[in-house]
Amino acid sequence: MLQIRTGPVPRGDEPLGFLLECHGRIRHFMGLADRLAKLNDVGPSERAQAATAVHRYFTVAFHLHASDEDELLIPALRQHAEPALRERLDALEPEHRVLDALVAELGPLWARIGAAPAEWGGCREQLASVGARLAEAIERHLSFEEREIFPAAARLLDCVTLAELRAQAARKRQGTPGAPGRR
């Protein structure tokens, strides 16, 4: 079954909870994309619904998360970062471009299946192979951020700065077609 979860991923009162919630949603939709590529016993309606949800998530919300990091978190951290942290921050933006390229390759396939679920058989191999590369790259990237970048942000940025970053991220989503209120 291809369950689509909506709504926030609970993360408690962690200082960077809004970004960790995004990571939870990224993992959820990556798992859904993986199941979409692999499951044979899914009806056309369910397959179309899942493909549409994955396509919408990765072509709208996923990009908002990367821009939150590139435009909000990284510049705020750079102001306080020691050289070793600056090097780690420099690695994030190129990783976002790699992820974007993989999503760009998968996006038309997800859209195609969303519109015509019978097309799944012709896309299945590419969905699985490119999807596996995306899943691996995403997990490596998210784990790196959770292990290195977010703890540095929690250590170096005060509560007011973190609250402002969250507010700026929320404002970016207002008026964005297809963007959920929370990513």
Side-chain angles (χ1 to χ4, degrees), residues 8-134:
V9 176
R11 295 305 289 197
D13 295 327
E14 297 175 48
L16 291 163
F18 73 106
L19 292 172
L20 290 167
E21 288 172 0
C22 291
H23 282 199
R25 280 185 287 283
I26 292 167
R27 287 182 171 109
H28 166 73
F29 280 98
M30 193 65 249
L32 183 59
D34 183 57
R35 290 188 304 281
L36 177 66
K38 294 177 180 173
L39 292 180
N40 288 318
D41 59 347
V42 175
S45 176
E46 189 178 11
R47 190 176 308 282
Q49 185 180 15
T52 299
V54 168
H55 179 262
R56 182 178 54 245
Y57 182 79
F58 278 104
T59 59
V60 177
F62 183 72
H63 296 296
L64 290 171
H65 175 73
S67 75
D68 289 344
E69 292 174 352
D70 292 342
E71 297 168 13
L72 303 175
L73 180 63
I74 292 171
L77 270 174
R78 279 194 193 288
Q79 295 176 9
H80 306 284
E82 64 275 3
L85 177 57
R86 281 192 196 104
E87 286 178 27
R88 293 191 297 270
L89 293 171
D90 290 343
L92 291 179
E93 195 173 343
E95 286 182 14
H96 288 157
R97 287 193 300 271
V98 168
L99 297 174
D100 287 344
L102 291 167
V103 167
E105 190 172 343
L106 287 163
L109 300 175
W110 293 324
R112 184 171 149 195
I113 295 165
E119 298 285 320
W120 173 77
C123 303
R124 183 178 182 188
E125 189 175 305
Q126 188 177 5
L127 280 172
S129 66
V130 178
R133 291 191 345 248
L134 177 62

Side-chain angles (χ1 to χ4, degrees), residues 18-19 22 64 67-68 72 162-176 179-183:
F18 73 106
L19 292 172
C22 291
L64 290 171
S67 75
D68 289 344
L72 303 175
L162 292 171
E164 181 55 30
L165 293 177
R166 182 181 203 133
Q168 288 176 18
R171 282 192 297 272
K172 281 176 25 182
R173 281 148 182 75
Q174 293 174 345
T176 301
R182 299 172 63 140
R183 248 193 89 212

